[in-house]
Amino acid sequence: MTTGEPIWDRPHRPAWMRLLNGVGGGLRRVGVLRPRLDPDSLLASAQRRAGLSDWGDDGFREGLRALVDAFETQGPAHTFGRIFFREYCVAALTNRLRIQDDLKRHPEILSTPIRRPLFITGLPRSGTTFLHRLMCEDPGGRPLYLWETLAPSPSPRYETRLTDPRIAQARKQIGLLNSLAPRIRAAHLFDADSPEECNNLFAHGFIAGVNGFLFDVPQYVEWMNEQSLLEPYRYLRRQLQLLSWQWPGDPWLLKAPAHIYGLDSLLAVFPDACIVQIHRDPLQVLPSLCSLASAVRGITSDRVDLRRLGAEFTEAMAQGTERAIDARATADPARFFDVTYASLLADPVETVRAVRQYFGYSYDDEFAARMRRWLAENPQHKHGVHRYTLEQFGLDSDVVNRRFSRYREWTRSLARSSSPQT
């Protein structure tokens, strides 16, 4: 629950968006609400765009309904917000149709091996992107690139990985995103041909934590908390098989903070997975996360209550840490390697070496040299300083520390134990 008056953030608005929303607002006042957001309309639009109609498993429909209902429940978004949300859903549905068509026409895809994939996770804003991009300097590994998460079908080919037309399309999408929310660039650099999180792949199944980050949909988040994550991870595996069918690599190099919510399901679907969990002080994580979320949600909302956002993400992240603690209590400890944010920043190359050595992945001088070159080319704050404070989001350090007391004690116990970590 939130206490105190709202702390309003008024998002940046390009002139063309203000004009569009002004026209849409006038139509709404006379009872015309556009565009339509009912699931049947979204499904029909995706079928027309893809020229396909076989959805395969219909399990995604409940999540689609839950997301749309939650978006509408929060009140009528401005016109561009509705357009943005609709396109997000239709794009995900179109991808799902195309993926299903690929799997139906080429059933051999589901025999593609996924051996000992590496997953990086931890609280958001804890260094997961930094470590992931360093790991992806592995000359033999298989990163998941942003452009292929936005359009996984048709299966990308190794020979055209640098010239695939989807890369240019992804750059256009990123350009639009940066124009809509300029603050994002300093917090998280989206680059079409850089490694990226698994979030977009989960979005194709509509049981995806990223939806609760992008949009103000608390009703959907409550619904998601009650869902099994086994099928989303099975669908993730099928998509990875599609992506590596004609572009193999070993191992897959993956990351998403959202994995802390589903470590038990992840290991059920990828029993030989190797998981790195990064730990950082929640007092540092939360305001950084809220700052990024406020910029993203400002795309579809005219104003964002930063106090409510702070309370929401405090609870959501605390729940995530507790799910991870519970899952790891019954999992094989050999599947995990723990990293502190401080040790990662102090010696990132040594951190990668220690992780690779522990899990038995290859490591050589070429890999180390590639990482050092990447570090030289990508200094911290290269794209601007991301500034934030607890107070911006109505957060109190004592309240946050109490809510994360179990996580803090658990991380202290890890430090005292013989668990592998840096």
Side-chain angles (χ1 to χ4, degrees):
M1 291 183 62
T2 58
T3 59
E5 293 296 316
I7 303 173
W8 295 117
D9 181 36
R10 305 269 179 188
H12 164 81
R13 289 284 178 262
W16 62 263
M17 189 194 298
R18 294 196 298 270
L19 178 60
L20 175 65
N21 289 342
V23 172
L27 292 173
R28 186 165 58 239
R29 284 191 291 273
V30 297
V32 179
L33 193 60
R34 290 289 185 272
R36 292 175 57 196
L37 295 181
D38 62 278
D40 288 343
S41 171
L42 301 176
L43 292 164
S45 291
Q47 288 178 310
R48 287 193 297 271
R49 185 178 296 184
L52 300 165
S53 59
D54 182 1
W55 294 100
D57 178 10
D58 282 341
F60 72 95
R61 293 176 184 264
E62 185 181 356
L64 173 63
R65 167 66 68 180
L67 180 60
V68 171
D69 287 350
F71 188 82
E72 293 283 49
T73 296
Q74 285 303 101
H78 56 67
T79 300
F80 180 78
R82 295 178 68 83
I83 293 171
F84 185 91
F85 178 80
R86 180 182 175 83
E87 175 56 28
Y88 175 83
C89 293
V90 171
L93 291 167
T94 302
N95 281 343
R96 188 175 182 93
L97 282 167
R98 290 171 176 164
I99 292 166
Q100 172 61 22
D101 187 59
D102 282 343
L103 297 180
K104 183 170 62 175
R105 289 186 298 109
H106 300 284
E108 65 272 23
I109 290 172
L110 297 181
S111 298
T112 303
I114 305 291
R115 299 188 184 94
R116 300 181 69 242
L118 177 73
F119 288 86
I120 298 171
T121 192
L123 286 169
R125 321 303 297 162
S126 64
T128 57
T129 296
F130 179 48
L131 179 59
H132 183 227
R133 293 190 178 177
L134 271 183
M135 284 283 190
C136 288
E137 290 301 304
D138 174 8
R142 177 60 165 95
L144 178 64
Y145 292 101
L146 177 58
W147 65 266
E148 55 184 344
T149 72
L150 295 174
S153 173
S155 177
R157 304 180 67 89
Y158 176 81
E159 295 81 4
T160 58
R161 68 193 185 283
L162 302 179
T163 58
D164 193 296
R166 285 170 285 188
I167 299 173
Q169 182 60 39
R171 288 189 178 126
K172 292 180 182 178
Q173 292 176 257
I174 294 166
L176 175 62
L177 179 68
N178 288 334
S179 72
L180 296 173
R183 287 183 293 163
I184 290 176
R185 189 171 175 82
H188 182 88
L189 177 63
F190 290 99
D191 192 357
D193 50 3
S194 286
E196 195 47 67
E197 298 181 356
C198 313
N199 289 332
N200 291 325
L201 300 186
F202 282 109
H204 300 144
F206 288 91
I207 301 179
V210 68
N211 293 334
F213 174 80
L214 295 173
F215 307 109
D216 185 10
V217 285
Q219 180 178 296
Y220 174 81
V221 173
E222 291 179 9
W223 174 84
M224 256 212 65
N225 286 338
E226 303 300 320
Q227 306 307 305
S228 168
L229 297 182
L230 270 174
E231 182 51 37
Y233 275 97
R234 292 184 184 118
Y235 192 50
L236 173 65
R237 186 182 185 96
R238 293 195 291 274
Q239 291 181 82
L240 294 177
Q241 289 176 309
L242 172 67
L243 292 171
S244 55
W245 179 42
Q246 299 181 92
W247 181 359
D250 187 20
W252 266 104
L253 301 165
L254 306 163
K255 86 100 173 175
H259 291 312
I260 62 173
Y261 291 89
L263 292 177
D264 49 355
S265 296
L266 187 160
L267 286 169
V269 175
F270 301 94
D272 60 348
C274 302
I275 302 171
V276 180
Q277 186 170 353
I278 306 181
H279 305 284
R280 187 184 184 190
D281 187 343
L283 294 176
Q284 300 298 318
V285 163
L286 282 169
S288 178
L289 173 63
C290 290
S291 178
L292 178 58
S294 66
V296 173
R297 288 192 182 180
I299 295 172
T300 54
S301 301
D302 273 328
R303 59 182 188 172
V304 178
D305 181 354
L306 301 183
R307 188 184 300 278
R308 183 163 68 85
L309 194 70
E312 174 188 339
F313 279 105
T314 296
E315 182 59 27
M317 294 305 104
Q319 289 182 13
T321 62
E322 289 165 355
R323 287 196 181 192
I325 293 168
D326 292 340
R328 289 187 57 173
T330 58
D332 178 1
R335 304 258 59 85
F336 295 89
F337 189 99
D338 292 285
V339 172
T340 67
Y341 180 73
S343 65
L344 172 62
L345 291 191
D347 196 339
V349 173
E350 171 56 24
T351 298
V352 171
R353 187 206 63 77
V355 169
R356 303 277 302 196
Q357 182 181 54
Y358 174 73
F359 287 123
Y361 295 125
S362 63
Y363 183 85
D364 56 23
D365 291 342
E366 179 190 358
F367 189 3
R370 288 168 63 110
M371 286 192 291
R372 291 191 178 96
R373 183 168 58 249
W374 186 91
L375 287 166
E377 294 172 353
N378 295 274
Q380 192 175 24
H381 308 314
K382 177 180 179 179
H383 300 283
V385 179
H386 184 205
R387 301 186 187 281
Y388 46 81
T389 66
L390 284 168
E391 291 73 22
Q392 277 179 268
F393 305 97
L395 295 174
D396 177 86
S397 59
D398 290 339
V399 174
V400 171
N401 283 332
R402 284 196 297 272
R403 185 62 188 89
F404 282 86
S405 59
R406 185 182 176 202
Y407 175 64
R408 289 191 181 281
E409 177 53 38
W410 182 68
T411 55
R412 284 194 290 267
S413 71
L414 287 176
R416 292 192 298 265
S417 73
S418 57
S419 299
Q421 57 189 292
T422 62

Coordinates of all heavy atoms in Angstrom, one line a residue, residues 61-89:
R61 N -4.2 -17.5 -24.7 CA -5.4 -16.6 -24.8 C -5.8 -16.1 -23.4 O -6.2 -14.9 -23.3 CB -6.6 -17.4 -25.4 CG -6.4 -17.7 -26.9 CD -7.5 -18.5 -27.5 NE -7.3 -19.0 -28.8 CZ -7.7 -18.3 -29.9 NH1 -8.4 -17.2 -29.8 NH2 -7.4 -18.8 -31.1
E62 N -5.7 -16.8 -22.4 CA -6.0 -16.3 -21.1 C -5.1 -15.2 -20.6 O -5.6 -14.2 -20.1 CB -6.0 -17.5 -20.0 CG -6.4 -17.0 -18.6 CD -6.3 -18.1 -17.6 OE1 -6.0 -19.3 -18.0 OE2 -6.6 -17.8 -16.4
G63 N -3.8 -15.3 -20.9 CA -2.9 -14.2 -20.6 C -3.2 -13.0 -21.4 O -3.1 -11.8 -20.9
L64 N -3.6 -13.1 -22.7 CA -3.9 -12.0 -23.5 C -5.1 -11.3 -23.0 O -5.1 -10.1 -22.8 CB -4.2 -12.5 -25.0 CG -4.8 -11.4 -25.9 CD1 -3.8 -10.3 -26.1 CD2 -5.2 -12.1 -27.3
R65 N -6.2 -12.0 -22.6 CA -7.4 -11.5 -22.0 C -7.0 -10.7 -20.7 O -7.5 -9.6 -20.5 CB -8.4 -12.6 -21.8 CG -9.6 -12.2 -20.9 CD -10.5 -11.1 -21.5 NE -11.2 -11.6 -22.7 CZ -12.0 -10.9 -23.5 NH1 -12.1 -9.6 -23.2 NH2 -12.6 -11.4 -24.5
A66 N -6.2 -11.4 -19.9 CA -5.9 -10.8 -18.6 C -5.1 -9.4 -18.8 O -5.4 -8.5 -18.1 CB -5.0 -11.7 -17.7
L67 N -4.2 -9.4 -19.8 CA -3.4 -8.2 -20.0 C -4.3 -7.1 -20.5 O -4.3 -5.9 -20.1 CB -2.3 -8.5 -21.0 CG -1.4 -7.3 -21.3 CD1 -0.7 -6.7 -20.1 CD2 -0.4 -7.7 -22.4
V68 N -5.2 -7.4 -21.5 CA -6.1 -6.4 -22.1 C -7.0 -5.8 -21.0 O -7.2 -4.6 -20.9 CB -6.8 -6.9 -23.3 CG1 -7.9 -5.9 -23.8 CG2 -5.8 -7.2 -24.4
D69 N -7.6 -6.7 -20.3 CA -8.6 -6.3 -19.3 C -7.9 -5.4 -18.2 O -8.5 -4.4 -17.8 CB -9.2 -7.5 -18.5 CG -10.2 -8.3 -19.4 OD1 -10.6 -7.7 -20.5 OD2 -10.6 -9.4 -19.0
A70 N -6.7 -5.7 -17.8 CA -6.0 -4.9 -16.8 C -5.6 -3.6 -17.4 O -5.7 -2.5 -16.7 CB -4.7 -5.7 -16.4
F71 N -5.2 -3.5 -18.7 CA -4.9 -2.2 -19.3 C -6.1 -1.3 -19.3 O -6.0 -0.1 -19.0 CB -4.3 -2.5 -20.7 CG -3.8 -1.2 -21.4 CD1 -2.5 -0.8 -21.1 CD2 -4.6 -0.5 -22.3 CE1 -2.0 0.3 -21.7 CE2 -4.0 0.6 -22.9 CZ -2.8 1.0 -22.6
E72 N -7.3 -1.9 -19.7 CA -8.5 -1.1 -19.8 C -9.0 -0.7 -18.4 O -9.6 0.4 -18.2 CB -9.6 -1.9 -20.5 CG -9.3 -2.1 -22.0 CD -9.5 -0.9 -22.9 OE1 -9.0 0.2 -22.5 OE2 -10.1 -1.0 -23.9
T73 N -8.8 -1.6 -17.4 CA -9.3 -1.3 -16.0 C -8.6 -0.1 -15.4 O -9.3 0.6 -14.7 CB -9.0 -2.5 -15.1 OG1 -9.8 -3.6 -15.6 CG2 -9.4 -2.3 -13.7
Q74 N -7.4 0.2 -15.8 CA -6.7 1.3 -15.2 C -7.2 2.7 -15.8 O -6.7 3.7 -15.4 CB -5.2 1.2 -15.5 CG -4.5 0.2 -14.7 CD -4.6 0.4 -13.2 OE1 -5.4 -0.2 -12.5 NE2 -3.9 1.4 -12.7
G75 N -8.2 2.6 -16.6 CA -8.8 3.8 -17.2 C -8.3 4.0 -18.6 O -7.3 3.5 -19.1
P76 N -9.1 4.8 -19.4 CA -8.8 5.0 -20.8 C -7.4 5.7 -21.0 O -7.2 6.8 -20.5 CB -9.9 5.8 -21.3 CG -10.5 6.5 -20.1 CD -10.3 5.6 -18.9
A77 N -6.5 5.0 -21.6 CA -5.2 5.6 -21.9 C -5.4 6.6 -23.0 O -6.4 6.6 -23.7 CB -4.2 4.5 -22.3
H78 N -4.4 7.5 -23.1 CA -4.5 8.5 -24.2 C -4.4 7.7 -25.6 O -4.0 6.5 -25.6 CB -3.4 9.6 -24.1 CG -2.0 9.1 -24.0 ND1 -1.3 8.4 -25.0 CD2 -1.1 9.1 -23.0 CE1 -0.1 8.1 -24.7 NE2 0.0 8.5 -23.4
T79 N -4.7 8.4 -26.6 CA -4.8 7.8 -27.9 C -3.5 7.1 -28.4 O -3.5 5.9 -28.8 CB -5.2 8.8 -29.0 OG1 -6.5 9.3 -28.6 CG2 -5.4 8.1 -30.4
F80 N -2.4 7.8 -28.3 CA -1.1 7.1 -28.7 C -0.8 5.9 -27.8 O -0.3 4.9 -28.2 CB 0.0 8.1 -28.7 CG 1.3 7.4 -29.1 CD1 1.6 7.1 -30.4 CD2 2.2 6.9 -28.1 CE1 2.7 6.4 -30.8 CE2 3.4 6.2 -28.5 CZ 3.6 6.0 -29.8
G81 N -1.2 6.0 -26.5 CA -1.0 4.9 -25.6 C -1.7 3.7 -26.0 O -1.2 2.6 -25.9
R82 N -3.0 3.9 -26.5 CA -3.7 2.7 -26.9 C -3.1 2.2 -28.2 O -3.1 1.0 -28.4 CB -5.2 3.2 -27.2 CG -5.9 3.6 -25.9 CD -7.3 4.0 -26.2 NE -8.2 2.9 -26.6 CZ -8.8 2.1 -25.8 NH1 -8.6 2.2 -24.5 NH2 -9.5 1.1 -26.3
I83 N -2.7 3.1 -29.1 CA -2.0 2.6 -30.3 C -0.8 1.8 -30.0 O -0.5 0.7 -30.6 CB -1.7 3.8 -31.3 CG1 -3.0 4.5 -31.8 CG2 -0.8 3.4 -32.4 CD1 -2.7 5.8 -32.5
F84 N 0.0 2.3 -29.1 CA 1.3 1.6 -28.7 C 1.0 0.2 -28.1 O 1.6 -0.8 -28.5 CB 2.0 2.5 -27.7 CG 3.4 2.0 -27.3 CD1 4.5 2.3 -28.0 CD2 3.5 1.1 -26.2 CE1 5.8 1.9 -27.6 CE2 4.7 0.6 -25.9 CZ 5.9 1.0 -26.6
F85 N 0.0 0.2 -27.2 CA -0.3 -1.1 -26.6 C -0.9 -2.1 -27.6 O -0.5 -3.3 -27.6 CB -1.4 -0.8 -25.5 CG -1.8 -2.1 -24.8 CD1 -1.1 -2.7 -23.8 CD2 -3.0 -2.7 -25.1 CE1 -1.5 -3.8 -23.1 CE2 -3.5 -3.8 -24.4 CZ -2.7 -4.4 -23.4
R86 N -1.8 -1.6 -28.5 CA -2.3 -2.5 -29.5 C -1.2 -3.1 -30.4 O -1.2 -4.3 -30.7 CB -3.3 -1.7 -30.3 CG -4.0 -2.6 -31.4 CD -5.0 -1.8 -32.3 NE -5.5 -2.6 -33.4 CZ -6.5 -3.5 -33.3 NH1 -7.1 -3.6 -32.1 NH2 -6.8 -4.2 -34.3
E87 N -0.3 -2.2 -30.8 CA 0.8 -2.7 -31.7 C 1.6 -3.7 -31.0 O 2.1 -4.7 -31.6 CB 1.6 -1.5 -32.2 CG 2.8 -1.9 -33.0 CD 2.5 -2.8 -34.2 OE1 1.4 -2.7 -34.8 OE2 3.4 -3.5 -34.7
Y88 N 1.9 -3.5 -29.7 CA 2.7 -4.4 -28.9 C 2.0 -5.8 -28.9 O 2.7 -6.8 -29.1 CB 2.8 -3.9 -27.5 CG 3.5 -4.8 -26.5 CD1 4.9 -4.8 -26.4 CD2 2.8 -5.6 -25.6 CE1 5.5 -5.7 -25.5 CE2 3.4 -6.4 -24.7 CZ 4.8 -6.5 -24.7 OH 5.4 -7.3 -23.8
C89 N 0.7 -5.8 -28.6 CA 0.0 -7.1 -28.6 C -0.1 -7.7 -30.0 O 0.2 -9.0 -30.1 CB -1.4 -6.9 -28.0 SG -1.5 -6.4 -26.3

